[in-house]
Amino acid sequence: MKTTNPRRITGFTLLELLVVLVILGLLVGYVAPRYFAQVGKSEVKVARAQVKALEDALDQYRLDVGRYPASQPGLAALNDAPAGEARWQGPYLRKAVPNDPWGHPYQYRAPGEHGEYDLWSFGRDGQAGGSGEDADITSWQ
């Protein structure tokens, strides 16, 4: 008759640990690309929301001053009164003009090619054109 040793320490074998690590690696390999794709989509949504907020601030500026800011000083006119602008009632933004979610400054041109002004972000790649997350986010679309 065999007796069991009550002091015997049980645990996982190296093979069991390796199997668990392989399973975790497969799960991460499957889930991570889907998660990071969602992060990219949310950055595009943030950029669209920021363009809309800047459009609203530009419209308020126009109501006060009678025209949109010129290309120079551009979006800075939303926070700091342009020289010689007596009807300026700003600041029109609570904080400084933000960069887009990818860290690039928003582009502004007045008069614009697509309207009284053009406001856009070049997207993730910081260059004109592109598709997906690299596509431009504009005020005229």
Side-chain angles (χ1 to χ4, degrees):
M1 189 176 224
K2 285 187 175 182
T3 61
T4 58
N5 185 351
R7 294 185 181 188
R8 183 172 182 226
I9 299 173
T10 60
F12 296 108
T13 66
L14 181 59
L15 182 60
E16 291 170 326
L17 290 174
L18 288 174
V19 168
V20 169
L21 288 175
V22 167
I23 291 171
L24 286 174
L26 291 172
L27 285 173
V28 167
Y30 178 74
V31 172
R34 295 179 187 272
Y35 171 75
F36 288 114
Q38 294 301 319
V39 169
K41 288 179 185 176
S42 67
E43 288 173 332
V44 170
K45 288 180 183 177
V46 167
R48 286 190 179 128
Q50 286 179 332
V51 165
K52 176 67 175 129
L54 290 170
E55 286 178 310
D56 292 343
L58 286 165
D59 289 341
Q60 186 62 47
Y61 179 99
R62 182 177 179 266
L63 287 173
D64 290 345
V65 176
R67 59 177 172 71
Y68 290 107
S71 293
Q72 274 303 335
L75 296 175
L78 298 174
N79 285 329
D80 300 315
E85 192 56 67
R87 296 179 5 185
W88 189 84
Q89 299 293 315
Y92 299 96
L93 296 172
R94 291 183 184 166
K95 297 179 181 178
V97 176
N99 285 337
D100 69 16
W102 303 279
H104 308 292
Y106 282 99
Q107 305 298 307
Y108 175 79
R109 175 178 47 221
E113 295 177 6
H114 304 278
E116 292 185 69
Y117 67 86
D118 294 343
L119 175 64
W120 74 98
S121 164
F122 285 126
R124 182 181 63 181
D125 64 355
Q127 299 177 3
S131 62
E133 293 174 48
D134 294 337
D136 298 349
I137 294 135
T138 63
S139 62
W140 58 87
Q141 291 179 343

